[in-house]
Amino acid sequence: MGTQVLIIDDEKDLTATLKKYLTRKGYAVTTCANGKEGIDEAGKNKYALIIVDIRLPDISGVEVIKTIENRDDKVRFLIITGYSIVGETSDLIETSKRVHGYIFKPFKPTHLEEKIKEILSLL
């Protein structure tokens, strides 16, 4: 089984595309459509990387990251967003040792894969 990756994003087409692409590249991918589901899933399984959208339908991606970060001291995060990085999100990126940047939507799966490899090489 490949490296465990969790994607938390409410865009079902995007998560389906990314899961298919990354699975073909050897990753073990789980997807969640909202923050609460993502937090619950991260509590059940150990992930090397969690990819989180900042704008989720129930709670913010920042809150998701902070909650999971408090429970798991090894997981790494990558933020994906269609919005500018400001305020609380910017502060999180600057202060968290486990948030390793962001990618703006729309992006190519190959770009995401490159970023994943870069983050996982830091482990």
Side-chain angles (χ1 to χ4, degrees), residues 37-117:
E37 190 180 312
I39 290 168
D40 290 346
E41 178 59 34
K44 293 178 200 166
N45 296 296
K46 292 286 183 195
Y47 291 93
L49 177 66
I50 300 178
I51 300 167
V52 183
D53 187 7
I54 287 302
R55 294 214 178 166
L56 295 166
D58 54 351
I59 57 178
S60 78
V62 170
E63 287 305 312
V64 170
I65 291 169
K66 286 180 178 179
T67 301
I68 296 170
E69 214 173 24
N70 285 333
R71 289 195 219 152
D72 185 337
D73 63 353
K74 294 194 176 7
V75 68
R76 302 293 188 251
F77 297 93
L78 175 64
I79 292 171
I80 55 176
T81 185
Y83 302 92
S84 59
I85 302 290
V86 295
E88 191 177 29
T89 306
S90 177
D91 292 345
L92 179 69
I93 291 168
E94 289 178 24
T95 59
S96 174
K97 291 182 173 107
R98 287 182 275 132
V99 175
H100 295 277
Y102 54 88
I103 296 178
F104 286 113
K105 295 177 186 178
F107 55 82
K108 293 185 170 138
T110 53
H111 182 165
L112 178 65
E113 183 188 13
E114 289 169 13
K115 191 69 177 171
I116 290 170
K117 285 180 180 178

Side-chain angles (χ1 to χ4, degrees), residues 23-39:
T23 299
R24 279 190 304 212
K25 296 295 184 173
Y27 295 94
V29 181
T30 303
T31 62
C32 294
N34 63 57
K36 182 179 180 338
E37 190 180 312
I39 290 168

